[in-house]
Amino acid sequence: MDCVVIVEGASDKAAVEALARFRGLDLVTEGVLVEPIGGAHAVGAYLRRFGNGSRPRLAGLVDLAEAPAFARALELVGVGAAPDVAALERLGFFVCSADLEDELIRAVGPAAVEAVIEEQGELRSFRSFQKQPAHRVESIDAQLHRFLGTHAGRKAAYARALIEAGVPDRVPPPLRRLLEHITGTDN
């Protein structure tokens, strides 16, 4: 294993792997392990686990709110100091402005996300969700974001589907830069 990509959850892993597959990259052949850690609180333990001995290259995808936790952990294990987002990205940890789902919705666009929801057979459920009093006043982006997180496994399923819907030209910038970083390519 040459590189470990630390991601917060299953949807992040699904998106990274889907984009790599679409680009014709076999991450296993490339020596890349994508490791979901179950939330940012676990980053220190994973960095220590993978940062021992002949340390593989480390990289990751990080939600903006969790960037300080990643920065502290990277410094504590000796990877480097990351006082800001630019420094985190120089270390190979790419920051989503809110989270990956937000990035995907913005990159693909609300209309295309709704089309994917329809393809998945869940447009009726989404329309019911939109009619709920708590969601009527939300923007379409906020409604889509919340809908994607309402059932276990939905975020990961939609991460794959939205990557497939958005490629080749509408990939969220942090995800694109991460893939370029870990493969040394300019995809």
Side-chain angles (χ1 to χ4, degrees):
M1 163 179 50
D2 299 322
C3 179
V4 175
V5 178
I6 296 173
V7 296
E8 292 182 50
S11 63
D12 305 297
K13 176 182 170 94
V16 170
E17 291 176 344
L19 183 57
R21 269 191 311 278
F22 181 82
R23 299 276 169 92
L25 299 169
D26 181 343
L27 293 180
V28 172
T29 301
E30 297 276 342
V32 177
L33 171 67
V34 181
E35 185 71 21
I37 62 173
H41 62 279
V43 68
Y46 279 86
L47 288 172
R48 286 187 298 278
R49 174 178 160 202
F50 291 113
N52 294 330
S54 62
R55 173 183 299 198
R57 273 186 321 127
L58 298 171
L61 196 60
V62 182
D63 295 348
L64 181 60
E66 308 304 343
F70 272 73
R72 279 190 302 278
L74 286 164
E75 188 165 8
L76 284 172
V77 299
V79 173
D84 54 31
V85 169
L88 264 174
E89 293 197 355
R90 282 191 297 276
L91 293 175
F93 287 79
F94 299 86
V95 181
C96 296
S97 64
D99 58 20
L100 179 62
E101 290 73 30
D102 176 64
E103 293 279 355
L104 286 166
I105 291 165
R106 264 198 333 259
V108 175
V113 176
E114 284 191 36
V116 170
I117 291 171
E118 185 172 21
E119 289 170 10
Q120 299 295 314
E122 292 194 303
L123 188 58
R124 189 173 175 176
S125 294
F126 178 62
R127 296 292 183 236
S128 294
F129 176 86
Q130 288 180 299
K131 292 176 185 174
Q132 295 175 2
H135 305 299
R136 284 185 204 148
V137 297
E138 293 177 324
S139 70
I140 185 68
D141 288 8
Q143 290 172 341
L144 290 165
H145 188 271
R146 291 188 47 122
F147 180 76
L148 296 180
T150 57
H151 290 293
R154 186 180 271 165
K155 282 184 177 183
Y158 277 96
R160 280 187 293 277
L162 291 171
I163 288 295
E164 292 166 3
V167 290
D169 50 332
R170 295 183 289 172
V171 175
L175 189 55
R176 178 185 42 77
R177 290 191 307 266
L178 172 66
L179 190 65
E180 290 168 356
H181 175 79
I182 62 178
T183 61
T185 62
D186 189 11
N187 288 311

